[in-house]
Amino acid sequence: MATMTHQPVQRIVLIGARGAGKTTVARLIAERLDWSWIDADGYLESKVQRTIREIFEQEGEPSFRMLEALALKELLVPEKRVVATGGGVVLDPTNRARLRAAGLVVWLTADAATLWQRLQADRATPLQRPALTNRGGLAEIEELLAAREPLYRECANCIVDTSSLPPNAVADRIVSMVGSC
Ligand code: S3P
């Protein structure tokens, strides 16, 4: 895992798979700290006036990844901000270096079955979430987790398992880390 330099935390960045709760928890942390918060996918969608799913369908994943990298660079400039990233942001080595330099990076984890349940329960999933492999469903989540876990680990300063913790408790735990990481 990444270690923190001993400077005051200026940003909190949430990484982790789809369904880990990054967006909800980012908002809750920001409320507690009186910081701003932003969702990287939402930022990108409003910037290019298309959904992530449309970008994938019209231009393909490599083009989405370029736009995502550009958006991340912009998003990590302001201070006192909580950033919820997209689940695949860690695939790019430059993004990983940026994340590590940005502040406190928290990896929200959950087991594959829990992630799958949450994605199925989220009505936005079919509209907003493109398929990322040919497998779909639980098998896709398991495959992506296996490939990406080392990358999340490389960037993270702390890990919070959200499988059996409600978002408020996850946010409380992260806020309590700000002084101690
Ligand atoms: C992706 C996760 C999504 C979004 C895009 C690709 C991924 O973000 O960036 O669909 O590769 O895991 P969320 O994790 O916010 O759903």
Side-chain angles (χ1 to χ4, degrees), residues 24-93:
T24 305
V25 171
R27 178 177 52 77
L28 294 171
I29 297 170
E31 279 170 18
R32 283 158 173 71
L33 294 175
D34 201 17
W35 286 12
S36 67
W37 73 280
I38 192 152
D39 176 73
D41 286 339
Y43 173 78
L44 177 52
E45 287 185 336
S46 57
K47 195 175 155 192
V48 302
Q49 289 294 298
R50 276 179 295 162
T51 64
I52 303 289
R53 199 187 172 103
E54 283 167 344
I55 303 169
F56 265 73
E57 284 169 3
Q58 293 163 3
E59 298 176 31
E61 183 170 347
S63 175
F64 167 75
R65 296 294 171 201
M66 278 172 52
L67 293 169
E68 181 181 49
L70 206 63
L72 183 74
K73 190 177 169 191
E74 294 164 6
L75 285 176
L76 294 179
V77 175
E79 298 188 340
K80 300 202 173 209
R81 172 182 257 196
V82 189
V83 180
T85 59
V89 75
V90 293
L91 292 170
D92 179 315

